[in-house]
Amino acid sequence: MIMRGDGVPGGGFSRRRALRLAGGGLALAALTMGATGCREDGADLGGSGDPAGSDASGASESPGDGKPVDGDQPAGGGAGKDGRAPRPLWTRTTSAQTYGDDDELVAANGVVIASGEPLAALDAASGTERWSLKDGAVPGAPMLLGAGTLYLASATYDGTVAGYDPATGKETWRSHLGKGYRQPRPIAVDDEQVYVIAEVLEADGSSRTNVIAALNSRTGRLAWKERRDVGTEGNGIHAQAQGRHLVYTDFKKNLTVRDTTTGRQVWTHKTTKTNYGFFAVHENLVIVPQGPKLQAFGLADGALKWSAETAESYVSFKEPAVLDGVLYLADSSRTLRALDPRTGKVIWTSQALADADITVPRQYVKAGGVLYAATDLDQRGGVIAIDAKSGAVRWTFNDGSGDYHAWLVATDGKHVFALHGKKLHALPV
């Protein structure tokens, strides 16, 4: 199956990627696909911003009266009309310290939290601070939500992984991997376990290897740990847990699947192209963009189940997301697609991004039948509202700050939260 794009070249090493790789926390992995059955090891193969609201044609429109809502000013509101972005319900300056990864902004239990120091939770409806936690999070490390708990790597680097009630900030869970390991960082979570990567300490205090481990999310006890091969790194991990399978990528171009019950490695592929670790998991498949190819592999055996290609070899697939059983992703020519993730069959394609001269999205959430997509730093980007049934662009929100950080987006179903640098905006759904 060949998916058509308009052939416009694009893509490259974005500033967001450079910031993320330099961040010292968990960075995004280099990713793409190579031969089946390779061992997991260390070997390598071979500006300025627009005004705050924009309509779908690219014309600019300030939110409300054009002034940001901050501090104790009255909240804005109102849905977007005539293709114009709605005015933010509220805007706050935060302590955010982010590197552009999706899990550095989370919304749950009536609050929204941006990774920063101190770690602060803002009330979703009003933007007022509900709680604050000093040394709560490691900049660049993910904040993971599972079974109503927010899991964080300790900013004190004492080997602790802790869990908190998102609504109150109170610690509800804690685990130590042991004295022989340092800096365990959560990479994925499911209903039963928290998965971490940690460095193995040598007698001289150095570390040349690392382990991947599972911690019981009720007791904090170690369920299993597996030493990874010499040459693998603890940074650059991007992971998801799905049933009996833990899927992750790393800087050394490995795509690896482990059994969540035993930790046993089920299979690994060596990758050849790079997509910085982004993939999507749906039911029994892991779906991986690799430059002009999109491939779906069986979680149980690593076998190729379906594949797709862009129209031109220089056009690359970007970050995917599966929401409500539909796979959404764009390519560097700004063609947006909705696919059936089970088969790769095209549901619709849209040229609305290219027609409106809007930057390619790299993160998606869905609320009320609308996709909300976040872009990299770019005056032609921001947060884009997209019709989930057709791919038509409804509006684009940009705060006009010109901040060099990537946009991040999250939703609680009632609001859409857009983080840009240290500015956090709440938009109505």
Side-chain angles (χ1 to χ4, degrees):
M1 175 180 62
I2 296 178
M3 299 179 182
R4 302 298 299 179
D6 62 9
V8 178
F13 192 85
S14 73
R15 196 169 177 183
R16 175 177 74 89
R17 299 290 195 273
L19 287 170
R20 184 66 174 165
L21 298 182
L26 290 183
L28 297 179
L31 172 67
T32 47
M33 197 62 52
T36 303
C38 294
R39 195 169 66 89
E40 180 191 8
D41 57 25
D44 246 354
L45 292 183
S48 64
D50 280 343
S54 298
D55 64 20
S57 66
S60 61
E61 171 72 16
S62 296
D65 59 6
K67 299 178 182 178
V69 181
D70 208 343
D72 296 324
Q73 293 179 327
K81 297 180 180 180
D82 301 324
R84 293 172 176 155
R87 183 184 178 190
L89 298 170
W90 52 260
T91 293
R92 296 290 182 267
T93 300
T94 70
S95 59
Q97 296 173 308
T98 65
Y99 296 92
D101 204 4
D102 300 355
D103 45 28
E104 294 176 323
L105 179 69
V106 297
N109 295 57
V111 299
V112 56
I113 307 169
S115 181
E117 175 52 40
L119 188 68
L122 304 184
D123 184 89
S126 67
T128 57
E129 185 176 294
R130 291 263 291 266
W131 55 263
S132 179
L133 186 64
K134 184 176 175 57
D135 295 330
V138 177
M143 301 187 297
L144 300 180
L145 284 168
T149 301
L150 176 68
Y151 294 98
L152 304 171
S154 173
T156 57
Y157 296 97
D158 62 355
T160 296
V161 180
Y164 300 85
D165 179 351
T168 65
K170 293 182 178 179
E171 184 177 308
T172 57
W173 180 91
R174 178 171 286 258
S175 179
H176 289 273
L177 195 57
K179 293 183 178 180
Y181 308 93
R182 68 181 175 191
Q183 298 182 16
R185 301 184 182 191
I187 59 171
V189 62
D190 57 26
D191 290 340
E192 297 182 0
Q193 295 179 149
V194 183
Y195 304 92
V196 301
I197 290 283
E199 297 176 355
V200 179
L201 283 175
E202 305 294 339
D204 61 1
S206 66
S207 178
R208 292 180 287 277
T209 57
N210 61 85
V211 296
I212 188 166
L215 306 171
N216 186 284
S217 58
R218 294 183 299 276
T219 66
R221 293 177 180 173
L222 179 68
W224 53 259
K225 68 174 183 293
E226 293 287 329
R227 186 184 292 252
R228 299 174 71 218
D229 294 329
V230 174
T232 56
E233 298 177 3
N235 290 332
I237 301 292
H238 184 225
Q240 291 188 49
Q242 173 81 353
R244 286 288 302 269
H245 300 100
L246 173 67
V247 188
Y248 60 95
T249 58
D250 62 28
F251 272 153
K252 294 298 183 179
K253 300 181 182 178
N254 297 302
L255 172 67
T256 303
V257 174
R258 290 184 180 272
D259 187 299
T260 55
T261 302
T262 65
R264 179 183 62 86
Q265 183 173 293
V266 180
W267 57 265
T268 184
H269 288 324
K270 183 63 71 173
T271 62
T272 56
K273 299 285 184 181
T274 181
N275 197 55
Y276 303 98
F278 284 103
F279 58 86
V281 174
H282 179 69
E283 296 180 351
N284 61 343
L285 297 175
V286 54
I287 304 165
V288 186
Q290 301 183 86
K293 292 185 177 182
L294 183 68
Q295 295 178 309
F297 296 89
L299 287 176
D301 57 10
L304 180 65
K305 303 300 183 180
W306 60 260
S307 64
E309 296 183 7
T310 59
E312 304 290 346
S313 61
Y314 53 77
V315 175
S316 299
F317 285 111
K318 298 302 182 180
E319 293 90 331
V322 176
L323 302 170
D324 293 337
V326 178
L327 172 66
Y328 300 99
L329 81 166
D331 65 31
S332 57
S333 74
R334 290 181 288 186
T335 298
L336 184 63
R337 296 170 174 84
L339 310 177
D340 183 336
R342 299 167 299 175
T343 64
K345 182 179 179 180
V346 175
I347 299 172
W348 53 253
T349 62
S350 171
Q351 298 296 325
L353 297 174
D355 293 343
D357 195 25
I358 296 172
T359 301
V360 177
R362 34 79 48 192
Q363 183 199 2
Y364 305 85
V365 297
K366 188 177 180 182
V370 178
L371 287 178
Y372 297 90
T375 73
D376 273 332
L377 53 142
D378 199 294
Q379 63 180 358
R380 295 178 292 115
V383 172
I384 311 164
I386 301 168
D387 190 306
K389 293 184 178 180
S390 68
V393 173
R394 295 187 172 190
W395 48 258
T396 301
F397 174 83
N398 193 308
D399 59 13
S401 68
D403 191 285
Y404 60 85
H405 286 84
W407 287 84
L408 297 177
V409 66
T411 184
D412 61 0
K414 300 178 181 179
H415 316 84
V416 172
F417 303 100
L419 179 66
H420 190 211
K422 292 186 178 296
K423 290 291 186 179
L424 181 60
H425 311 274
L427 303 174
V429 170

PDB file of all heavy atoms in Angstrom, residues 37-63:
ATOM      1  N   GLY A  37      15.735  -9.998  14.646  1.00  0.00           N
ATOM      2  CA  GLY A  37      16.476 -10.956  15.441  1.00  0.00           C
ATOM      3  C   GLY A  37      17.831 -10.481  15.887  1.00  0.00           C
ATOM      4  O   GLY A  37      18.605 -11.261  16.421  1.00  0.00           O
ATOM      5  N   CYS A  38      18.165  -9.187  15.708  1.00  0.00           N
ATOM      6  CA  CYS A  38      19.452  -8.697  16.186  1.00  0.00           C
ATOM      7  C   CYS A  38      19.428  -8.616  17.697  1.00  0.00           C
ATOM      8  O   CYS A  38      18.413  -8.340  18.299  1.00  0.00           O
ATOM      9  CB  CYS A  38      19.752  -7.316  15.598  1.00  0.00           C
ATOM     10  SG  CYS A  38      19.990  -7.343  13.822  1.00  0.00           S
ATOM     11  N   ARG A  39      20.571  -8.824  18.297  1.00  0.00           N
ATOM     12  CA  ARG A  39      20.700  -8.808  19.743  1.00  0.00           C
ATOM     13  C   ARG A  39      20.604  -7.376  20.261  1.00  0.00           C
ATOM     14  O   ARG A  39      21.014  -6.440  19.604  1.00  0.00           O
ATOM     15  CB  ARG A  39      22.089  -9.383  20.077  1.00  0.00           C
ATOM     16  CG  ARG A  39      22.332  -9.790  21.475  1.00  0.00           C
ATOM     17  CD  ARG A  39      23.631 -10.570  21.524  1.00  0.00           C
ATOM     18  NE  ARG A  39      24.769  -9.749  21.195  1.00  0.00           N
ATOM     19  CZ  ARG A  39      25.470  -9.053  22.081  1.00  0.00           C
ATOM     20  NH1 ARG A  39      25.091  -9.068  23.327  1.00  0.00           N
ATOM     21  NH2 ARG A  39      26.529  -8.366  21.729  1.00  0.00           N
ATOM     22  N   GLU A  40      20.022  -7.182  21.466  1.00  0.00           N
ATOM     23  CA  GLU A  40      20.051  -5.866  22.085  1.00  0.00           C
ATOM     24  C   GLU A  40      21.465  -5.629  22.604  1.00  0.00           C
ATOM     25  O   GLU A  40      21.922  -6.271  23.525  1.00  0.00           O
ATOM     26  CB  GLU A  40      19.053  -5.782  23.245  1.00  0.00           C
ATOM     27  CG  GLU A  40      19.067  -4.424  23.911  1.00  0.00           C
ATOM     28  CD  GLU A  40      18.305  -4.407  25.205  1.00  0.00           C
ATOM     29  OE1 GLU A  40      17.886  -5.484  25.663  1.00  0.00           O
ATOM     30  OE2 GLU A  40      18.160  -3.322  25.766  1.00  0.00           O
ATOM     31  N   ASP A  41      22.179  -4.712  22.002  1.00  0.00           N
ATOM     32  CA  ASP A  41      23.551  -4.462  22.411  1.00  0.00           C
ATOM     33  C   ASP A  41      23.930  -3.038  22.084  1.00  0.00           C
ATOM     34  O   ASP A  41      23.122  -2.232  21.698  1.00  0.00           O
ATOM     35  CB  ASP A  41      24.527  -5.445  21.738  1.00  0.00           C
ATOM     36  CG  ASP A  41      24.454  -5.423  20.225  1.00  0.00           C
ATOM     37  OD1 ASP A  41      24.043  -4.369  19.667  1.00  0.00           O
ATOM     38  OD2 ASP A  41      24.802  -6.441  19.609  1.00  0.00           O
ATOM     39  N   GLY A  42      25.200  -2.701  22.267  1.00  0.00           N
ATOM     40  CA  GLY A  42      25.655  -1.345  22.059  1.00  0.00           C
ATOM     41  C   GLY A  42      26.152  -1.085  20.668  1.00  0.00           C
ATOM     42  O   GLY A  42      26.634   0.002  20.384  1.00  0.00           O
ATOM     43  N   ALA A  43      26.069  -2.034  19.761  1.00  0.00           N
ATOM     44  CA  ALA A  43      26.611  -1.854  18.424  1.00  0.00           C
ATOM     45  C   ALA A  43      25.713  -0.964  17.595  1.00  0.00           C
ATOM     46  O   ALA A  43      24.503  -1.044  17.665  1.00  0.00           O
ATOM     47  CB  ALA A  43      26.771  -3.208  17.731  1.00  0.00           C
ATOM     48  N   ASP A  44      26.333  -0.077  16.801  1.00  0.00           N
ATOM     49  CA  ASP A  44      25.615   0.789  15.891  1.00  0.00           C
ATOM     50  C   ASP A  44      25.699   0.244  14.491  1.00  0.00           C
ATOM     51  O   ASP A  44      26.745  -0.235  14.071  1.00  0.00           O
ATOM     52  CB  ASP A  44      26.261   2.182  15.891  1.00  0.00           C
ATOM     53  CG  ASP A  44      25.339   3.234  16.463  1.00  0.00           C
ATOM     54  OD1 ASP A  44      24.186   2.894  16.739  1.00  0.00           O
ATOM     55  OD2 ASP A  44      25.779   4.379  16.621  1.00  0.00           O
ATOM     56  N   LEU A  45      24.613   0.314  13.762  1.00  0.00           N
ATOM     57  CA  LEU A  45      24.646   0.014  12.334  1.00  0.00           C
ATOM     58  C   LEU A  45      24.756   1.313  11.568  1.00  0.00           C
ATOM     59  O   LEU A  45      24.083   2.287  11.870  1.00  0.00           O
ATOM     60  CB  LEU A  45      23.382  -0.717  11.905  1.00  0.00           C
ATOM     61  CG  LEU A  45      23.220  -2.126  12.462  1.00  0.00           C
ATOM     62  CD1 LEU A  45      21.969  -2.729  11.886  1.00  0.00           C
ATOM     63  CD2 LEU A  45      24.410  -3.005  12.111  1.00  0.00           C
ATOM     64  N   GLY A  46      25.900   0.465  10.416  1.00  0.00           N
ATOM     65  CA  GLY A  46      26.184   1.409   9.411  1.00  0.00           C
ATOM     66  C   GLY A  46      25.958   2.743   9.570  1.00  0.00           C
ATOM     67  O   GLY A  46      26.717   2.504   9.951  1.00  0.00           O
ATOM     68  N   GLY A  47      12.367  30.603  16.483  1.00  0.00           N
ATOM     69  CA  GLY A  47      12.046  31.949  16.000  1.00  0.00           C
ATOM     70  C   GLY A  47      10.991  32.884  16.581  1.00  0.00           C
ATOM     71  O   GLY A  47      10.577  32.789  17.695  1.00  0.00           O
ATOM     72  N   SER A  48      10.625  33.371  15.813  1.00  0.00           N
ATOM     73  CA  SER A  48       9.608  34.318  16.333  1.00  0.00           C
ATOM     74  C   SER A  48       8.233  33.733  16.194  1.00  0.00           C
ATOM     75  O   SER A  48       7.973  32.940  15.306  1.00  0.00           O
ATOM     76  CB  SER A  48       9.663  35.674  15.614  1.00  0.00           C
ATOM     77  OG  SER A  48       9.332  35.481  14.247  1.00  0.00           O
ATOM     78  N   GLY A  49       7.237  34.173  17.039  1.00  0.00           N
ATOM     79  CA  GLY A  49       5.913  33.571  17.042  1.00  0.00           C
ATOM     80  C   GLY A  49       4.847  34.427  16.417  1.00  0.00           C
ATOM     81  O   GLY A  49       4.955  35.632  16.333  1.00  0.00           O
ATOM     82  N   ASP A  50       3.783  33.774  15.975  1.00  0.00           N
ATOM     83  CA  ASP A  50       2.604  34.473  15.489  1.00  0.00           C
ATOM     84  C   ASP A  50       1.826  35.033  16.659  1.00  0.00           C
ATOM     85  O   ASP A  50       2.019  34.621  17.804  1.00  0.00           O
ATOM     86  CB  ASP A  50       1.682  33.486  14.747  1.00  0.00           C
ATOM     87  CG  ASP A  50       2.165  33.223  13.333  1.00  0.00           C
ATOM     88  OD1 ASP A  50       2.984  34.007  12.841  1.00  0.00           O
ATOM     89  OD2 ASP A  50       1.711  32.227  12.745  1.00  0.00           O
ATOM     90  N   PRO A  51       0.891  35.962  16.387  1.00  0.00           N
ATOM     91  CA  PRO A  51      -0.058  36.331  17.439  1.00  0.00           C
ATOM     92  C   PRO A  51      -0.795  35.102  17.921  1.00  0.00           C
ATOM     93  O   PRO A  51      -0.835  34.081  17.260  1.00  0.00           O
ATOM     94  CB  PRO A  51      -0.990  37.327  16.718  1.00  0.00           C
ATOM     95  CG  PRO A  51      -0.140  37.917  15.637  1.00  0.00           C
ATOM     96  CD  PRO A  51       0.747  36.769  15.193  1.00  0.00           C
ATOM     97  N   ALA A  52      -1.452  35.241  19.066  1.00  0.00           N
ATOM     98  CA  ALA A  52      -1.876  34.071  19.804  1.00  0.00           C
ATOM     99  C   ALA A  52      -2.852  33.163  19.093  1.00  0.00           C
ATOM    100  O   ALA A  52      -2.848  31.977  19.310  1.00  0.00           O
ATOM    101  CB  ALA A  52      -2.482  34.511  21.137  1.00  0.00           C
ATOM    102  N   GLY A  53      -3.731  33.657  18.263  1.00  0.00           N
ATOM    103  CA  GLY A  53      -4.654  32.774  17.573  1.00  0.00           C
ATOM    104  C   GLY A  53      -4.503  32.919  16.079  1.00  0.00           C
ATOM    105  O   GLY A  53      -4.300  34.014  15.585  1.00  0.00           O
ATOM    106  N   SER A  54      -4.642  31.819  15.355  1.00  0.00           N
ATOM    107  CA  SER A  54      -4.588  31.873  13.896  1.00  0.00           C
ATOM    108  C   SER A  54      -5.762  31.106  13.332  1.00  0.00           C
ATOM    109  O   SER A  54      -6.161  30.085  13.870  1.00  0.00           O
ATOM    110  CB  SER A  54      -3.282  31.266  13.369  1.00  0.00           C
ATOM    111  OG  SER A  54      -2.173  31.977  13.821  1.00  0.00           O
ATOM    112  N   ASP A  55      -6.317  31.629  12.219  1.00  0.00           N
ATOM    113  CA  ASP A  55      -7.373  30.869  11.583  1.00  0.00           C
ATOM    114  C   ASP A  55      -6.764  29.852  10.628  1.00  0.00           C
ATOM    115  O   ASP A  55      -5.559  29.785  10.444  1.00  0.00           O
ATOM    116  CB  ASP A  55      -8.387  31.791  10.881  1.00  0.00           C
ATOM    117  CG  ASP A  55      -7.771  32.589   9.732  1.00  0.00           C
ATOM    118  OD1 ASP A  55      -6.712  32.181   9.241  1.00  0.00           O
ATOM    119  OD2 ASP A  55      -8.365  33.604   9.345  1.00  0.00           O
ATOM    120  N   ALA A  56      -7.610  29.032  10.041  1.00  0.00           N
ATOM    121  CA  ALA A  56      -7.113  27.926   9.233  1.00  0.00           C
ATOM    122  C   ALA A  56      -6.401  28.382   7.976  1.00  0.00           C
ATOM    123  O   ALA A  56      -5.658  27.637   7.373  1.00  0.00           O
ATOM    124  CB  ALA A  56      -8.280  27.004   8.854  1.00  0.00           C
ATOM    125  N   SER A  57      -6.599  29.627   7.561  1.00  0.00           N
ATOM    126  CA  SER A  57      -5.932  30.127   6.370  1.00  0.00           C
ATOM    127  C   SER A  57      -4.585  30.745   6.680  1.00  0.00           C
ATOM    128  O   SER A  57      -3.878  31.193   5.789  1.00  0.00           O
ATOM    129  CB  SER A  57      -6.817  31.177   5.688  1.00  0.00           C
ATOM    130  OG  SER A  57      -6.949  32.320   6.516  1.00  0.00           O
ATOM    131  N   GLY A  58      -4.244  30.813   7.973  1.00  0.00           N
ATOM    132  CA  GLY A  58      -2.957  31.366   8.359  1.00  0.00           C
ATOM    133  C   GLY A  58      -3.053  32.797   8.831  1.00  0.00           C
ATOM    134  O   GLY A  58      -2.075  33.371   9.304  1.00  0.00           O
ATOM    135  N   ALA A  59      -4.217  33.465   8.720  1.00  0.00           N
ATOM    136  CA  ALA A  59      -4.360  34.822   9.222  1.00  0.00           C
ATOM    137  C   ALA A  59      -4.332  34.815  10.726  1.00  0.00           C
ATOM    138  O   ALA A  59      -4.734  33.865  11.372  1.00  0.00           O
ATOM    139  CB  ALA A  59      -5.695  35.413   8.724  1.00  0.00           C
ATOM    140  N   SER A  60      -3.841  35.889  11.335  1.00  0.00           N
ATOM    141  CA  SER A  60      -3.635  35.907  12.780  1.00  0.00           C
ATOM    142  C   SER A  60      -4.781  36.602  13.490  1.00  0.00           C
ATOM    143  O   SER A  60      -5.437  37.483  12.960  1.00  0.00           O
ATOM    144  CB  SER A  60      -2.322  36.618  13.115  1.00  0.00           C
ATOM    145  OG  SER A  60      -2.369  37.958  12.669  1.00  0.00           O
ATOM    146  N   GLU A  61      -4.977  36.169  14.729  1.00  0.00           N
ATOM    147  CA  GLU A  61      -6.025  36.756  15.555  1.00  0.00           C
ATOM    148  C   GLU A  61      -5.602  36.616  17.006  1.00  0.00           C
ATOM    149  O   GLU A  61      -5.301  35.538  17.476  1.00  0.00           O
ATOM    150  CB  GLU A  61      -7.359  36.033  15.335  1.00  0.00           C
ATOM    151  CG  GLU A  61      -8.467  36.425  16.298  1.00  0.00           C
ATOM    152  CD  GLU A  61      -9.014  37.821  16.039  1.00  0.00           C
ATOM    153  OE1 GLU A  61      -8.765  38.357  14.956  1.00  0.00           O
ATOM    154  OE2 GLU A  61      -9.690  38.360  16.925  1.00  0.00           O
ATOM    155  N   SER A  62      -5.533  37.707  17.741  1.00  0.00           N
ATOM    156  CA  SER A  62      -5.156  37.655  19.146  1.00  0.00           C
ATOM    157  C   SER A  62      -6.286  37.045  19.946  1.00  0.00           C
ATOM    158  O   SER A  62      -7.463  37.197  19.605  1.00  0.00           O
ATOM    159  CB  SER A  62      -4.853  39.062  19.658  1.00  0.00           C
ATOM    160  OG  SER A  62      -3.748  39.603  18.988  1.00  0.00           O
ATOM    161  N   PRO A  63      -5.960  36.369  21.064  1.00  0.00           N
ATOM    162  CA  PRO A  63      -7.026  35.771  21.868  1.00  0.00           C
ATOM    163  C   PRO A  63      -7.769  36.844  22.635  1.00  0.00           C
ATOM    164  O   PRO A  63      -7.192  37.584  23.414  1.00  0.00           O
ATOM    165  CB  PRO A  63      -6.261  34.832  22.808  1.00  0.00           C
ATOM    166  CG  PRO A  63      -4.910  35.448  22.934  1.00  0.00           C
ATOM    167  CD  PRO A  63      -4.639  36.126  21.618  1.00  0.00           C
TER     168      PRO A  63
END
